[in-house]
Amino acid sequence: MKENRTIIAYVSKHRGNTYKITKVISDELGADLKKADEITPEELMNYDLIGLSSGIYVFGMDRKIKKLLKKIGNGNGKKVFLISTSADPNGSKYHKGVKKLLQKKNFKLVGEFNCPGAYYPLILFGKKLNANRPNSEDLEKAKEFAKEIMEKL
Ligand SMILES: Cc1cc2nc3c(=O)[nH]c(=O)nc-3n(C[C@H](O)[C@H](O)[C@H](O)COP(=O)(O)O)c2cc1C
């Protein structure tokens, strides 16, 4: 593996689902891990590889992720990967807004990971979607994803 410095900026505000997945990927990559609102765009751009990770909240990744990207002038082709968990088992489609921004800012998308995350919305009183997700299988898939990312470096 080539030497690189990796950071993952994350938002996990519902049940810690995204954090669980992100931690596995971060450990596998030997990355630094920070909450998206605790890192500046300048700090982020000091890394060779950037992971942006978030639960899907109202059809998209968290606005803190978009805010970080919007503050960056030009990504200069820097490599980025995306991680999310969602109620929807096909949640990658909600990466669309962030992917558009990445393209506009000249970042290079090198991978996307999504898996179901438990969602206990108050509005569906008592109803539990994706109970106990992410599970050990999801965490294993996350590990595999990290290995694929490493191979691309
Ligand atoms: C306010 C809110 C809005 C959500 N909106 C969506 C959505 O639009 N689509 C979806 O698939 N899941 C949605 N979810 C479910 C979350 O994406 C899912 O529970 C995720 O695993 C939460 O990750 P976290 O525990 O890391 O915050 C929403 C959850 C919350 C709390």
PDB file of all heavy atoms in Angstrom, residues 61-91:
ATOM      1  N   MET A  61     -27.497  13.466   2.005  1.00  0.00           N
ATOM      2  CA  MET A  61     -26.500  13.446   3.076  1.00  0.00           C
ATOM      3  C   MET A  61     -26.653  14.736   3.876  1.00  0.00           C
ATOM      4  O   MET A  61     -27.238  15.709   3.413  1.00  0.00           O
ATOM      5  CB  MET A  61     -25.094  13.329   2.473  1.00  0.00           C
ATOM      6  CG  MET A  61     -24.873  11.986   1.771  1.00  0.00           C
ATOM      7  SD  MET A  61     -23.214  11.773   1.099  1.00  0.00           S
ATOM      8  CE  MET A  61     -22.334  11.173   2.558  1.00  0.00           C
ATOM      9  N   ASP A  62     -26.136  14.738   5.082  1.00  0.00           N
ATOM     10  CA  ASP A  62     -26.345  15.881   5.974  1.00  0.00           C
ATOM     11  C   ASP A  62     -25.779  17.177   5.382  1.00  0.00           C
ATOM     12  O   ASP A  62     -24.762  17.164   4.689  1.00  0.00           O
ATOM     13  CB  ASP A  62     -25.677  15.603   7.320  1.00  0.00           C
ATOM     14  CG  ASP A  62     -26.122  16.589   8.368  1.00  0.00           C
ATOM     15  OD1 ASP A  62     -27.214  16.395   8.930  1.00  0.00           O
ATOM     16  OD2 ASP A  62     -25.394  17.580   8.602  1.00  0.00           O
ATOM     17  N   ARG A  63     -26.436  18.256   5.713  1.00  0.00           N
ATOM     18  CA  ARG A  63     -26.028  19.550   5.146  1.00  0.00           C
ATOM     19  C   ARG A  63     -24.621  19.979   5.584  1.00  0.00           C
ATOM     20  O   ARG A  63     -23.969  20.757   4.895  1.00  0.00           O
ATOM     21  CB  ARG A  63     -27.053  20.639   5.472  1.00  0.00           C
ATOM     22  CG  ARG A  63     -27.144  20.983   6.930  1.00  0.00           C
ATOM     23  CD  ARG A  63     -28.130  22.083   7.162  1.00  0.00           C
ATOM     24  NE  ARG A  63     -29.474  21.658   6.753  1.00  0.00           N
ATOM     25  CZ  ARG A  63     -30.581  22.313   7.058  1.00  0.00           C
ATOM     26  NH1 ARG A  63     -30.508  23.402   7.754  1.00  0.00           N
ATOM     27  NH2 ARG A  63     -31.757  21.869   6.680  1.00  0.00           N
ATOM     28  N   LYS A  64     -24.162  19.421   6.719  1.00  0.00           N
ATOM     29  CA  LYS A  64     -22.796  19.760   7.179  1.00  0.00           C
ATOM     30  C   LYS A  64     -21.750  19.253   6.184  1.00  0.00           C
ATOM     31  O   LYS A  64     -20.685  19.842   6.033  1.00  0.00           O
ATOM     32  CB  LYS A  64     -22.548  19.138   8.554  1.00  0.00           C
ATOM     33  CG  LYS A  64     -23.247  19.875   9.669  1.00  0.00           C
ATOM     34  CD  LYS A  64     -23.042  19.179  10.981  1.00  0.00           C
ATOM     35  CE  LYS A  64     -23.980  19.763  12.025  1.00  0.00           C
ATOM     36  NZ  LYS A  64     -24.282  18.787  13.080  1.00  0.00           N
ATOM     37  N   ILE A  65     -22.048  18.150   5.532  1.00  0.00           N
ATOM     38  CA  ILE A  65     -21.136  17.595   4.518  1.00  0.00           C
ATOM     39  C   ILE A  65     -21.100  18.557   3.318  1.00  0.00           C
ATOM     40  O   ILE A  65     -20.026  18.908   2.816  1.00  0.00           O
ATOM     41  CB  ILE A  65     -21.625  16.195   4.062  1.00  0.00           C
ATOM     42  CG1 ILE A  65     -21.687  15.217   5.239  1.00  0.00           C
ATOM     43  CG2 ILE A  65     -20.794  15.662   2.899  1.00  0.00           C
ATOM     44  CD1 ILE A  65     -20.376  14.712   5.753  1.00  0.00           C
ATOM     45  N   LYS A  66     -22.271  18.988   2.912  1.00  0.00           N
ATOM     46  CA  LYS A  66     -22.339  19.907   1.761  1.00  0.00           C
ATOM     47  C   LYS A  66     -21.688  21.248   2.101  1.00  0.00           C
ATOM     48  O   LYS A  66     -21.008  21.854   1.274  1.00  0.00           O
ATOM     49  CB  LYS A  66     -23.798  20.107   1.344  1.00  0.00           C
ATOM     50  CG  LYS A  66     -24.397  18.849   0.761  1.00  0.00           C
ATOM     51  CD  LYS A  66     -25.893  18.983   0.545  1.00  0.00           C
ATOM     52  CE  LYS A  66     -26.510  17.615   0.302  1.00  0.00           C
ATOM     53  NZ  LYS A  66     -27.911  17.531   0.675  1.00  0.00           N
ATOM     54  N   LYS A  67     -21.874  21.680   3.347  1.00  0.00           N
ATOM     55  CA  LYS A  67     -21.307  22.959   3.794  1.00  0.00           C
ATOM     56  C   LYS A  67     -19.776  22.929   3.697  1.00  0.00           C
ATOM     57  O   LYS A  67     -19.159  23.880   3.222  1.00  0.00           O
ATOM     58  CB  LYS A  67     -21.733  23.190   5.250  1.00  0.00           C
ATOM     59  CG  LYS A  67     -21.956  24.635   5.618  1.00  0.00           C
ATOM     60  CD  LYS A  67     -22.681  24.712   6.934  1.00  0.00           C
ATOM     61  CE  LYS A  67     -22.148  25.847   7.766  1.00  0.00           C
ATOM     62  NZ  LYS A  67     -22.748  25.872   9.109  1.00  0.00           N
ATOM     63  N   LEU A  68     -19.205  21.823   4.144  1.00  0.00           N
ATOM     64  CA  LEU A  68     -17.744  21.669   4.069  1.00  0.00           C
ATOM     65  C   LEU A  68     -17.271  21.794   2.629  1.00  0.00           C
ATOM     66  O   LEU A  68     -16.332  22.539   2.330  1.00  0.00           O
ATOM     67  CB  LEU A  68     -17.352  20.285   4.585  1.00  0.00           C
ATOM     68  CG  LEU A  68     -16.852  20.121   6.007  1.00  0.00           C
ATOM     69  CD1 LEU A  68     -16.528  18.665   6.262  1.00  0.00           C
ATOM     70  CD2 LEU A  68     -15.639  20.994   6.297  1.00  0.00           C
ATOM     71  N   LEU A  69     -17.935  21.082   1.738  1.00  0.00           N
ATOM     72  CA  LEU A  69     -17.531  21.077   0.320  1.00  0.00           C
ATOM     73  C   LEU A  69     -17.700  22.449  -0.309  1.00  0.00           C
ATOM     74  O   LEU A  69     -16.858  22.883  -1.103  1.00  0.00           O
ATOM     75  CB  LEU A  69     -18.353  20.048  -0.457  1.00  0.00           C
ATOM     76  CG  LEU A  69     -17.980  18.585  -0.249  1.00  0.00           C
ATOM     77  CD1 LEU A  69     -18.953  17.686  -0.972  1.00  0.00           C
ATOM     78  CD2 LEU A  69     -16.554  18.318  -0.728  1.00  0.00           C
ATOM     79  N   LYS A  70     -18.777  23.118   0.053  1.00  0.00           N
ATOM     80  CA  LYS A  70     -19.051  24.429  -0.551  1.00  0.00           C
ATOM     81  C   LYS A  70     -17.981  25.445  -0.211  1.00  0.00           C
ATOM     82  O   LYS A  70     -17.740  26.385  -0.959  1.00  0.00           O
ATOM     83  CB  LYS A  70     -20.428  24.929  -0.101  1.00  0.00           C
ATOM     84  CG  LYS A  70     -21.553  24.293  -0.914  1.00  0.00           C
ATOM     85  CD  LYS A  70     -22.905  24.816  -0.501  1.00  0.00           C
ATOM     86  CE  LYS A  70     -23.989  24.097  -1.296  1.00  0.00           C
ATOM     87  NZ  LYS A  70     -25.308  24.226  -0.690  1.00  0.00           N
ATOM     88  N   LYS A  71     -17.322  25.238   0.942  1.00  0.00           N
ATOM     89  CA  LYS A  71     -16.291  26.194   1.371  1.00  0.00           C
ATOM     90  C   LYS A  71     -14.961  25.959   0.667  1.00  0.00           C
ATOM     91  O   LYS A  71     -14.023  26.723   0.831  1.00  0.00           O
ATOM     92  CB  LYS A  71     -16.097  26.088   2.890  1.00  0.00           C
ATOM     93  CG  LYS A  71     -17.217  26.735   3.682  1.00  0.00           C
ATOM     94  CD  LYS A  71     -16.859  26.741   5.152  1.00  0.00           C
ATOM     95  CE  LYS A  71     -18.026  27.156   6.019  1.00  0.00           C
ATOM     96  NZ  LYS A  71     -17.911  26.558   7.367  1.00  0.00           N
ATOM     97  N   ILE A  72     -14.857  24.861  -0.077  1.00  0.00           N
ATOM     98  CA  ILE A  72     -13.601  24.554  -0.771  1.00  0.00           C
ATOM     99  C   ILE A  72     -13.680  25.077  -2.205  1.00  0.00           C
ATOM    100  O   ILE A  72     -14.647  24.810  -2.916  1.00  0.00           O
ATOM    101  CB  ILE A  72     -13.337  23.024  -0.747  1.00  0.00           C
ATOM    102  CG1 ILE A  72     -13.138  22.574   0.704  1.00  0.00           C
ATOM    103  CG2 ILE A  72     -12.123  22.674  -1.605  1.00  0.00           C
ATOM    104  CD1 ILE A  72     -13.141  21.079   0.897  1.00  0.00           C
ATOM    105  N   GLY A  73     -12.656  25.828  -2.592  1.00  0.00           N
ATOM    106  CA  GLY A  73     -12.649  26.426  -3.928  1.00  0.00           C
ATOM    107  C   GLY A  73     -12.511  25.375  -5.015  1.00  0.00           C
ATOM    108  O   GLY A  73     -13.402  25.188  -5.828  1.00  0.00           O
ATOM    109  N   ASN A  74     -11.387  24.655  -4.973  1.00  0.00           N
ATOM    110  CA  ASN A  74     -11.123  23.647  -6.000  1.00  0.00           C
ATOM    111  C   ASN A  74     -10.504  22.404  -5.353  1.00  0.00           C
ATOM    112  O   ASN A  74      -9.529  22.501  -4.611  1.00  0.00           O
ATOM    113  CB  ASN A  74     -10.168  24.236  -7.043  1.00  0.00           C
ATOM    114  CG  ASN A  74     -10.094  23.363  -8.277  1.00  0.00           C
ATOM    115  OD1 ASN A  74     -10.163  22.131  -8.207  1.00  0.00           O
ATOM    116  ND2 ASN A  74      -9.967  23.991  -9.426  1.00  0.00           N
ATOM    117  N   GLY A  75     -11.079  21.269  -5.626  1.00  0.00           N
ATOM    118  CA  GLY A  75     -10.589  20.011  -5.051  1.00  0.00           C
ATOM    119  C   GLY A  75      -9.313  19.512  -5.712  1.00  0.00           C
ATOM    120  O   GLY A  75      -8.667  18.617  -5.196  1.00  0.00           O
ATOM    121  N   ASN A  76      -8.930  20.098  -6.828  1.00  0.00           N
ATOM    122  CA  ASN A  76      -7.701  19.730  -7.543  1.00  0.00           C
ATOM    123  C   ASN A  76      -7.568  18.225  -7.776  1.00  0.00           C
ATOM    124  O   ASN A  76      -6.476  17.666  -7.655  1.00  0.00           O
ATOM    125  CB  ASN A  76      -6.468  20.234  -6.777  1.00  0.00           C
ATOM    126  CG  ASN A  76      -6.414  21.746  -6.759  1.00  0.00           C
ATOM    127  OD1 ASN A  76      -6.674  22.386  -7.772  1.00  0.00           O
ATOM    128  ND2 ASN A  76      -6.115  22.323  -5.597  1.00  0.00           N
ATOM    129  N   GLY A  77      -8.668  17.577  -8.051  1.00  0.00           N
ATOM    130  CA  GLY A  77      -8.626  16.144  -8.368  1.00  0.00           C
ATOM    131  C   GLY A  77      -8.422  15.234  -7.164  1.00  0.00           C
ATOM    132  O   GLY A  77      -8.169  14.043  -7.317  1.00  0.00           O
ATOM    133  N   LYS A  78      -8.515  15.804  -5.969  1.00  0.00           N
ATOM    134  CA  LYS A  78      -8.314  14.990  -4.760  1.00  0.00           C
ATOM    135  C   LYS A  78      -9.349  13.874  -4.674  1.00  0.00           C
ATOM    136  O   LYS A  78     -10.499  14.055  -5.052  1.00  0.00           O
ATOM    137  CB  LYS A  78      -8.406  15.880  -3.517  1.00  0.00           C
ATOM    138  CG  LYS A  78      -7.702  15.275  -2.312  1.00  0.00           C
ATOM    139  CD  LYS A  78      -7.778  16.189  -1.122  1.00  0.00           C
ATOM    140  CE  LYS A  78      -6.763  17.306  -1.136  1.00  0.00           C
ATOM    141  NZ  LYS A  78      -5.396  16.893  -0.839  1.00  0.00           N
ATOM    142  N   LYS A  79      -8.895  12.714  -4.148  1.00  0.00           N
ATOM    143  CA  LYS A  79      -9.774  11.538  -4.103  1.00  0.00           C
ATOM    144  C   LYS A  79     -10.714  11.575  -2.905  1.00  0.00           C
ATOM    145  O   LYS A  79     -10.287  11.876  -1.777  1.00  0.00           O
ATOM    146  CB  LYS A  79      -8.931  10.269  -4.047  1.00  0.00           C
ATOM    147  CG  LYS A  79      -8.206  10.007  -5.335  1.00  0.00           C
ATOM    148  CD  LYS A  79      -7.282   8.834  -5.206  1.00  0.00           C
ATOM    149  CE  LYS A  79      -6.569   8.615  -6.532  1.00  0.00           C
ATOM    150  NZ  LYS A  79      -5.287   7.975  -6.381  1.00  0.00           N
ATOM    151  N   VAL A  80     -11.971  11.244  -3.172  1.00  0.00           N
ATOM    152  CA  VAL A  80     -13.011  11.256  -2.135  1.00  0.00           C
ATOM    153  C   VAL A  80     -13.832   9.965  -2.242  1.00  0.00           C
ATOM    154  O   VAL A  80     -14.104   9.481  -3.337  1.00  0.00           O
ATOM    155  CB  VAL A  80     -13.962  12.466  -2.334  1.00  0.00           C
ATOM    156  CG1 VAL A  80     -15.144  12.396  -1.378  1.00  0.00           C
ATOM    157  CG2 VAL A  80     -13.218  13.787  -2.142  1.00  0.00           C
ATOM    158  N   PHE A  81     -14.202   9.418  -1.071  1.00  0.00           N
ATOM    159  CA  PHE A  81     -15.189   8.333  -1.084  1.00  0.00           C
ATOM    160  C   PHE A  81     -16.343   8.700  -0.155  1.00  0.00           C
ATOM    161  O   PHE A  81     -16.181   9.511   0.756  1.00  0.00           O
ATOM    162  CB  PHE A  81     -14.555   6.984  -0.711  1.00  0.00           C
ATOM    163  CG  PHE A  81     -13.930   6.928   0.666  1.00  0.00           C
ATOM    164  CD1 PHE A  81     -14.659   6.526   1.772  1.00  0.00           C
ATOM    165  CD2 PHE A  81     -12.596   7.268   0.843  1.00  0.00           C
ATOM    166  CE1 PHE A  81     -14.082   6.462   3.028  1.00  0.00           C
ATOM    167  CE2 PHE A  81     -12.001   7.215   2.101  1.00  0.00           C
ATOM    168  CZ  PHE A  81     -12.745   6.808   3.196  1.00  0.00           C
ATOM    169  N   LEU A  82     -17.509   8.099  -0.426  1.00  0.00           N
ATOM    170  CA  LEU A  82     -18.719   8.429   0.323  1.00  0.00           C
ATOM    171  C   LEU A  82     -19.227   7.213   1.091  1.00  0.00           C
ATOM    172  O   LEU A  82     -19.177   6.087   0.585  1.00  0.00           O
ATOM    173  CB  LEU A  82     -19.816   8.923  -0.625  1.00  0.00           C
ATOM    174  CG  LEU A  82     -19.499  10.158  -1.465  1.00  0.00           C
ATOM    175  CD1 LEU A  82     -20.675  10.483  -2.393  1.00  0.00           C
ATOM    176  CD2 LEU A  82     -19.184  11.360  -0.581  1.00  0.00           C
ATOM    177  N   ILE A  83     -19.721   7.460   2.292  1.00  0.00           N
ATOM    178  CA  ILE A  83     -20.299   6.404   3.129  1.00  0.00           C
ATOM    179  C   ILE A  83     -21.649   6.905   3.629  1.00  0.00           C
ATOM    180  O   ILE A  83     -21.766   8.073   4.025  1.00  0.00           O
ATOM    181  CB  ILE A  83     -19.416   6.140   4.379  1.00  0.00           C
ATOM    182  CG1 ILE A  83     -17.976   5.805   4.004  1.00  0.00           C
ATOM    183  CG2 ILE A  83     -20.026   5.062   5.266  1.00  0.00           C
ATOM    184  CD1 ILE A  83     -17.004   5.865   5.193  1.00  0.00           C
ATOM    185  N   SER A  84     -22.653   6.039   3.627  1.00  0.00           N
ATOM    186  CA  SER A  84     -23.921   6.426   4.261  1.00  0.00           C
ATOM    187  C   SER A  84     -24.664   5.207   4.770  1.00  0.00           C
ATOM    188  O   SER A  84     -24.416   4.080   4.342  1.00  0.00           O
ATOM    189  CB  SER A  84     -24.807   7.194   3.274  1.00  0.00           C
ATOM    190  OG  SER A  84     -25.291   6.335   2.267  1.00  0.00           O
ATOM    191  N   THR A  85     -25.586   5.453   5.703  1.00  0.00           N
ATOM    192  CA  THR A  85     -26.587   4.449   6.081  1.00  0.00           C
ATOM    193  C   THR A  85     -27.938   5.120   5.920  1.00  0.00           C
ATOM    194  O   THR A  85     -28.050   6.343   6.023  1.00  0.00           O
ATOM    195  CB  THR A  85     -26.421   3.943   7.530  1.00  0.00           C
ATOM    196  OG1 THR A  85     -26.697   5.016   8.444  1.00  0.00           O
ATOM    197  CG2 THR A  85     -25.027   3.401   7.789  1.00  0.00           C
ATOM    198  N   SER A  86     -28.955   4.299   5.641  1.00  0.00           N
ATOM    199  CA  SER A  86     -30.274   4.865   5.361  1.00  0.00           C
ATOM    200  C   SER A  86     -31.367   3.845   5.681  1.00  0.00           C
ATOM    201  O   SER A  86     -31.100   2.645   5.764  1.00  0.00           O
ATOM    202  CB  SER A  86     -30.364   5.246   3.884  1.00  0.00           C
ATOM    203  OG  SER A  86     -29.967   4.154   3.084  1.00  0.00           O
ATOM    204  N   ALA A  87     -32.595   4.331   5.795  1.00  0.00           N
ATOM    205  CA  ALA A  87     -33.740   3.429   5.955  1.00  0.00           C
ATOM    206  C   ALA A  87     -33.933   2.643   4.663  1.00  0.00           C
ATOM    207  O   ALA A  87     -34.233   1.457   4.677  1.00  0.00           O
ATOM    208  CB  ALA A  87     -34.988   4.243   6.282  1.00  0.00           C
ATOM    209  N   ASP A  88     -33.755   3.315   3.556  1.00  0.00           N
ATOM    210  CA  ASP A  88     -33.892   2.726   2.225  1.00  0.00           C
ATOM    211  C   ASP A  88     -32.698   1.803   1.938  1.00  0.00           C
ATOM    212  O   ASP A  88     -31.551   2.225   2.067  1.00  0.00           O
ATOM    213  CB  ASP A  88     -33.904   3.900   1.211  1.00  0.00           C
ATOM    214  CG  ASP A  88     -34.238   3.457  -0.198  1.00  0.00           C
ATOM    215  OD1 ASP A  88     -33.831   2.354  -0.596  1.00  0.00           O
ATOM    216  OD2 ASP A  88     -34.906   4.233  -0.895  1.00  0.00           O
ATOM    217  N   PRO A  89     -32.952   0.554   1.547  1.00  0.00           N
ATOM    218  CA  PRO A  89     -31.833  -0.352   1.275  1.00  0.00           C
ATOM    219  C   PRO A  89     -31.005   0.044   0.044  1.00  0.00           C
ATOM    220  O   PRO A  89     -29.904  -0.449  -0.136  1.00  0.00           O
ATOM    221  CB  PRO A  89     -32.508  -1.713   1.063  1.00  0.00           C
ATOM    222  CG  PRO A  89     -33.928  -1.403   0.754  1.00  0.00           C
ATOM    223  CD  PRO A  89     -34.259  -0.106   1.405  1.00  0.00           C
ATOM    224  N   ASN A  90     -31.547   0.936  -0.782  1.00  0.00           N
ATOM    225  CA  ASN A  90     -30.779   1.447  -1.930  1.00  0.00           C
ATOM    226  C   ASN A  90     -30.447   2.915  -1.728  1.00  0.00           C
ATOM    227  O   ASN A  90     -30.726   3.763  -2.575  1.00  0.00           O
ATOM    228  CB  ASN A  90     -31.561   1.260  -3.233  1.00  0.00           C
ATOM    229  CG  ASN A  90     -31.780  -0.198  -3.539  1.00  0.00           C
ATOM    230  OD1 ASN A  90     -30.831  -0.983  -3.534  1.00  0.00           O
ATOM    231  ND2 ASN A  90     -33.017  -0.583  -3.759  1.00  0.00           N
ATOM    232  N   GLY A  91     -29.841   3.202  -0.616  1.00  0.00           N
ATOM    233  CA  GLY A  91     -29.638   4.599  -0.208  1.00  0.00           C
ATOM    234  C   GLY A  91     -28.582   5.362  -0.979  1.00  0.00           C
ATOM    235  O   GLY A  91     -28.511   6.586  -0.864  1.00  0.00           O
TER     236      GLY A  91
END
